[in-house]
Amino acid sequence: MTQATTSFLDPPAGAGFAGRVAAWIFSTDHKRIGLLYFYCIAAMFAVGVVLGLLIRLELIAPGATIMGQQTYNAVFTLHGVVMIFMVVIPSIPASLGNIFMPIQIGAEDVAFPRLNLFSWWLYIAGAALAVMSLFTGDGPPDTGWTFYVPFSQVTTTNVNLAVLAVFILGFSSILTGLNFIITIHRLRAEGMTWGRLTLFVWSLYATAWIQLLATPVLGITALLIVAERFLGMGLFDPARGGDPILYQHLFWIYSHPAVYIMILPAMGAISDILPVFCRKHIFGYNAIAFSSLGIAMAGSLVWAHHMFTSGMSDTAVMVFSLLTFIVAIPSAVKVFNWVATMYKGSIAPEPPLWYAMAFIVLFSMGGLTGLVLGSAGTDIHVHDTYFVVAHFHYVIFGGTGFGMFAALHYWLPKVYGRMYNKFWANVACFILFAGFHLLYFPMFLLGLNGMPRRYYDYLPQYTDLHVLSTVGSWIVAVGLVLMVANLVAGMRKGRRVGDNPWGGASLEWTIPSPPPTENFLEEPVVTHGPYDYEGIEPEEASMRAPVAPGEGRP
Ligand code: HEM
Ligand SMILES: [Cu+2]
């Protein structure tokens, strides 16, 4: 087995406990920083899931079940804040992007390693403040993660601290984006042309531009809320000549593009994974690469589709509806290209592929129901109902979540040099997929029947669908526990693997597993594209099935 003498995971020689901890939290190695992000994000994900399970438990029957109304408002606000700002926004770019982007472009590290570490510290500071907002002030924030005015101006709960936390988390995201853009421009190895970048790197590149350009708007908006609360400036208060709709515009100018910060990196990971397990060059490399940029650009123009019922002019409603339909095109381009990649491929049904296929199904269902929300006529019917809750969980949990799960099963052997149990990985995937539909599909029906979102209580006719959904939440929980337990067991004591278990053609598969601190033992020179599998044999025996002549390989 190719084990490098020192991998990035090895502790410094002779260091005590404090020295080992310091070697992690003050490390400027992008791989260590990526793993730090990953562990923190995983912990926050666990918190968010528990909050989600509590929401579902409360909603299992009409009336009060396990908590009071005020607590309920705090729980769903926190569930949203934790999941959005602390889990899915940093999830793939800050963790796996940090670990693999420099390796995939043949660099030794990101352009600004110390800034990278600083970004992680900002993330920790923001997360700590968000947690503190629960226990300090006059009760946890209860505004929903959107902090809509006028309620966020007048509520006495601890909105100030929560908004400050979001502000700091925003800086972490901006600096990571800046770092990635410069790294991708400046640090590519010899021969690593733009046309030889992996699609994962392309997606991170598009994401980084959104992080850099859109996130400052969120920061400003957060500051304006605090200014309103402390100084009573009246920006959003009609009695003083302000306008609450202005708040919604500012908020969604960031927060709509933010959904592409969440989904593009997942799409990038899927584009890297699928062809490996089909032993076939990706279909439509340029289309996938440019559709990421297309989504980033067009996606910045559609924010007001969240505001069709806010009282905008009919012209504005029509324009934003049309623009929203236009973003669907580059997204659909990707889905068609993934399916075309699988067509006539020599399929290796390994865990990363199952998770990737679950991603395609769930993301497509989320995307298509997004069109229902993007057309103003139907949106007015389902606006702020459970239809929306179903739609965005299909996109962000089914999309970003499953994309992350697929990526973890794909890259874990590279990071730890060990393999998890594939059988249990597949079982967990199946349980998650089934539980997911049971949890969220009833929400589409609830929404179409008029069940409003963010409500603590409901009419008895909605009970059956709520019961189904709550049972689904338990199945999802079982699937998550099984998946995590299997991955942890794998990373700690799984069987050892070599450099290239799946037979990937991108640069990370050319270096030892786990990677050495300096990534490459000698400076790489790139001579072929990231999806040219000719002559590359997977080490996993199950993947070495003979390929009939003329089949599978283009
Ligand atoms: C086991 C997993 C999960 C369960 C059971 C769950 C459940 C729920 C439920 C029932 C609501 C509706 C609350 C209401 O309208 O009263 C909700 C809202 C929400 N969920 Fe989840 N969820 C889960 C995972 C996720 C994930 C992975 C994300 C990632 C982004 C997420 C993001 C959100 C957001 C942003 C809201 C909106 C909160 C608000 O309206 O202010 N959830 N969730
Ligand atoms: Cu949007």
Side-chain angles (χ1 to χ4, degrees):
M1 292 285 105
T2 32
Q3 274 295 307
T5 37
T6 55
S7 89
F8 82 103
L9 294 169
D10 293 333
F17 179 72
R20 284 161 180 246
V21 173
W24 276 89
I25 63 175
F26 299 120
S27 170
T28 54
D29 180 350
H30 66 100
K31 301 180 288 304
R32 288 198 163 201
I33 295 173
L35 271 188
L36 287 176
Y37 267 115
F38 176 70
Y39 296 138
C40 301
I41 289 165
M44 294 317 288
F45 181 68
V47 172
V49 167
V50 170
L51 292 168
L53 292 172
L54 290 176
I55 302 175
R56 279 313 327 159
L57 204 54
E58 171 54 43
L59 294 175
I60 195 169
T65 315
I66 58 162
M67 59 179 99
Q69 303 158 19
Q70 185 62 31
T71 315
Y72 182 84
N73 288 351
V75 169
F76 83 68
T77 299
L78 273 157
H79 172 73
V81 170
V82 165
M83 285 300 197
I84 298 281
F85 295 112
M86 281 164 247
V87 179
V88 286
I89 289 186
S91 61
I92 297 181
S95 65
L96 296 171
N98 238 325
I99 300 176
F100 287 109
M101 181 272 284
I103 304 181
Q104 286 195 330
I105 66 170
E108 212 176 285
D109 206 325
V110 292
F112 305 113
R114 267 119 87 68
L115 189 67
N116 202 16
L117 179 64
F118 181 61
S119 305
W120 179 74
W121 278 101
L122 282 179
Y123 173 83
I124 294 298
L129 285 181
V131 173
M132 266 167 63
S133 75
L134 301 182
F135 306 107
T136 55
D138 295 319
D142 58 350
T143 56
W145 74 279
T146 52
F147 301 105
Y148 269 3
V149 299
F151 186 59
S152 61
Q153 263 169 263
V154 296
T155 176
T156 55
T157 57
N158 207 358
V159 167
N160 299 326
L161 202 58
V163 166
L164 181 66
V166 167
F167 182 78
I168 293 176
L169 289 167
F171 261 94
S172 168
S173 184
I174 295 171
L175 294 177
T176 303
L178 179 76
N179 218 339
F180 279 20
I181 291 174
I182 296 179
T183 307
I184 295 169
H185 273 276
R186 309 286 309 187
L187 299 186
R188 283 172 288 126
E190 198 188 326
M192 180 54 78
T193 55
W194 287 88
R196 284 182 183 159
L197 290 179
T198 63
L199 289 166
F200 184 56
V201 170
W202 267 109
S203 74
L204 290 172
Y205 181 70
T207 306
W209 278 108
I210 308 178
Q211 288 177 295
L212 192 66
L213 296 177
T215 316
V217 182
L218 176 77
I220 294 166
T221 314
L223 286 187
L224 288 180
I225 293 185
V226 176
E228 288 287 278
R229 286 174 66 86
F230 282 122
L231 309 175
M233 299 209 305
L235 279 166
F236 306 131
D237 179 1
R240 300 172 189 221
D243 185 355
I245 305 290
L246 173 64
Y247 176 83
Q248 295 193 12
H249 279 294
L250 288 173
F251 181 82
W252 287 111
I253 285 175
Y254 166 73
S255 294
H256 187 82
V259 310
Y260 303 113
I261 301 180
M262 306 175 203
I263 194 67
L264 280 172
M267 294 170 148
I270 297 299
S271 309
D272 266 20
I273 293 168
L274 279 177
V276 172
F277 297 92
C278 302
R279 308 309 300 153
K280 203 172 147 218
H281 196 282
I282 185 93
F283 183 89
Y285 174 92
N286 289 327
I288 296 186
F290 287 114
S291 63
S292 288
L293 296 177
I295 289 175
M297 280 189 278
S300 302
L301 302 175
V302 303
W303 72 88
H305 62 202
H306 298 268
M307 301 163 60
F308 288 155
T309 60
S310 298
M312 287 190 310
S313 74
D314 288 351
T315 317
V317 168
M318 246 156 60
V319 169
F320 279 104
S321 186
L322 178 74
L323 288 170
T324 302
F325 274 68
I326 289 176
V327 204
I329 298 170
S331 312
V333 163
K334 287 189 196 274
V335 174
F336 289 132
N337 282 336
W338 292 326
V339 175
T341 301
M342 289 164 59
Y343 179 66
K344 287 194 170 171
S346 137
I347 305 273
E350 298 280 351
L353 185 72
W354 286 114
Y355 281 96
M357 290 195 296
F359 166 96
I360 296 180
V361 172
L362 298 176
F363 171 75
S364 301
M365 288 176 70
L368 289 170
T369 52
L371 293 178
V372 176
L373 298 166
S375 18
T378 39
D379 176 66
I380 287 162
H381 180 62
V382 293
H383 189 84
D384 263 346
T385 67
Y386 261 78
F387 191 90
V388 179
V389 181
H391 153 72
F392 73 69
H393 282 93
Y394 267 85
V395 176
I396 40 190
F397 190 1
T400 310
F402 275 72
M404 180 87 180
F405 301 159
L408 287 178
H409 286 86
Y410 178 56
W411 276 315
L412 183 130
K414 175 50 53 182
V415 173
Y416 295 102
R418 292 174 184 277
M419 184 62 81
Y420 45 82
N421 181 306
K422 292 182 186 173
F423 173 76
W424 289 114
N426 288 339
V427 172
C429 181
F430 180 78
I431 295 176
L432 278 170
F433 187 72
F436 188 98
H437 286 296
L438 190 59
L439 167 56
Y440 295 114
F441 199 82
M443 294 189 190
F444 282 125
L445 306 177
L446 280 167
L448 289 171
N449 291 331
M451 165 82 203
R453 77 194 269 207
R454 297 181 180 143
Y455 272 35
Y456 169 68
D457 198 1
Y458 53 83
L459 298 171
Q461 64 260 37
Y462 298 126
T463 312
D464 291 350
L465 289 168
H466 273 300
V467 171
L468 282 182
S469 172
T470 301
V471 172
S473 75
W474 300 331
I475 299 178
V476 167
V478 169
L480 286 174
V481 169
L482 186 61
M483 183 190 78
V484 171
N486 183 40
L487 287 175
V488 170
M491 82 186 221
R492 298 182 56 174
K493 8 183 234 304
R495 92 184 131 81
R496 290 200 175 275
V497 295
D499 300 352
N500 197 357
W502 312 123
S506 43
L507 281 182
E508 76 270 31
W509 304 109
T510 63
I511 63 173
S513 319
T517 306
E518 56 280 11
N519 293 350
F520 297 91
L521 301 172
E522 55 199 78
E523 235 171 83
V525 178
V526 184
T527 53
H528 61 82
Y531 307 103
D532 299 334
Y533 302 109
E534 286 90 88
I536 298 178
E537 276 295 302
E539 286 158 19
E540 292 294 292
S542 52
M543 284 188 68
R544 262 186 259 124
V547 179
E551 233 184 73
R553 303 190 186 205

